[in-house]
Amino acid sequence: MLTKQDYEKYSQLAIEYLEKAGIVITEEEKKKVEVAEYELGCIDKVGLELVVYVNTEKCCAKELVLLPGQTCPEHRHPSVNGEMGKEETFRCRWGKVYLYVEGEETKDRKTAPPEGMEEYFTCKKEVVLNPGEQYTIMPNTLHWFRAGENGAIVSEFSTKSRDEYDIYTDPRIDAAGKRNI
Ligand code: ZN
């Protein structure tokens, strides 16, 4: 678990990155910046910060902030109660993001999974997103992503977000994004 001080430190860093990118959020939203560290205790490697703009029955929009070197662990969004899983589009706003999806392996990939965790990062098709570039991930397909050396800001547009049903490849992370082993 992150300490309160760390939570504040990382949410403050996220706010600074958003300001640097010229993305305006309200004072209310600043108070609600979320820090995800999956309780693995290595937020500089596995973790990200986010601001949720909207999450209704139909659609969801968020800003994801990845500090330099931060990685979102591999996961997929399964069907829930007969409803299709989440479809998501990532659009890079600032910095550079390396996205890995199911499909043919990219040779000479630009980044790698966090050291020592390679077995939990199985997608090897690389999609590099620079500002203004985007990619859509279909429901129930595996994906993970990592920021470039300067960090990245990614806008996410998706169908309803039900994080509590997400399935992570790393068995230590449960659906709620909490550590379960
Ligand atoms: Zn996802």
Side-chain angles (χ1 to χ4, degrees):
M1 270 279 278
L2 278 182
T3 61
K4 193 166 181 286
Q5 285 88 338
D6 272 343
Y7 204 97
E8 272 163 21
K9 174 183 151 191
Y10 284 89
S11 62
Q12 188 53 42
L13 278 169
I15 291 165
E16 286 166 23
Y17 271 75
L18 289 166
E19 277 169 4
K20 207 156 45 169
I23 295 172
V24 178
I25 61 171
T26 64
E27 291 305 313
E28 273 313 298
E29 287 167 331
K30 284 179 188 172
K31 286 182 210 151
K32 287 192 253 169
V33 171
E34 296 173 35
V35 181
E37 60 102 45
Y38 309 96
E39 298 186 9
L40 295 181
C42 53
I43 187 168
D44 292 320
K45 289 204 293 186
V46 181
L48 75 161
E49 294 70 33
L50 60 150
V51 185
V52 179
Y53 293 138
V54 62
N55 186 25
T56 68
E57 282 305 309
K58 297 280 180 202
C59 72
C60 176
K62 306 174 182 177
E63 222 68 79
L64 309 175
V65 181
L66 293 124
L67 302 172
Q70 273 189 327
T71 297
C72 175
E74 187 177 271
H75 64 280
R76 60 189 169 87
H77 308 285
S79 301
V80 178
N81 301 328
E83 266 181 61
M84 266 227 279
K86 184 182 172 208
E87 175 194 295
E88 54 194 12
T89 296
F90 291 137
R91 182 180 176 93
C92 181
R93 296 293 193 184
W94 186 91
K96 198 186 264 268
V97 66
Y98 298 90
L99 174 64
Y100 297 89
V101 296
E102 290 181 22
E104 198 181 332
E105 177 173 348
T106 304
K107 302 288 173 206
D108 303 320
R109 293 185 297 284
K110 305 284 187 302
T111 73
E115 228 181 295
M117 298 186 195
E118 292 80 0
E119 64 185 301
Y120 307 132
F121 293 80
T122 63
C123 294
K124 294 184 168 65
K125 178 180 173 179
E126 184 175 75
V127 179
V128 182
L129 297 177
N130 291 295
E133 296 175 333
Q134 65 183 45
Y135 188 88
T136 299
I137 293 156
M138 287 298 138
N140 206 25
T141 62
L142 287 167
H143 52 283
W144 63 276
F145 48 97
R146 173 170 197 159
E149 57 185 13
N150 296 319
I153 296 179
V154 176
S155 294
E156 177 187 320
F157 311 98
S158 74
T159 53
K160 184 179 173 60
S161 191
R162 281 179 284 214
D163 296 343
E164 65 277 22
Y165 295 104
D166 293 348
I167 295 173
Y168 289 86
T169 305
D170 186 337
R172 294 174 300 174
I173 307 171
D174 75 7
K178 305 274 187 229
R179 187 167 181 147
N180 64 357
I181 296 179

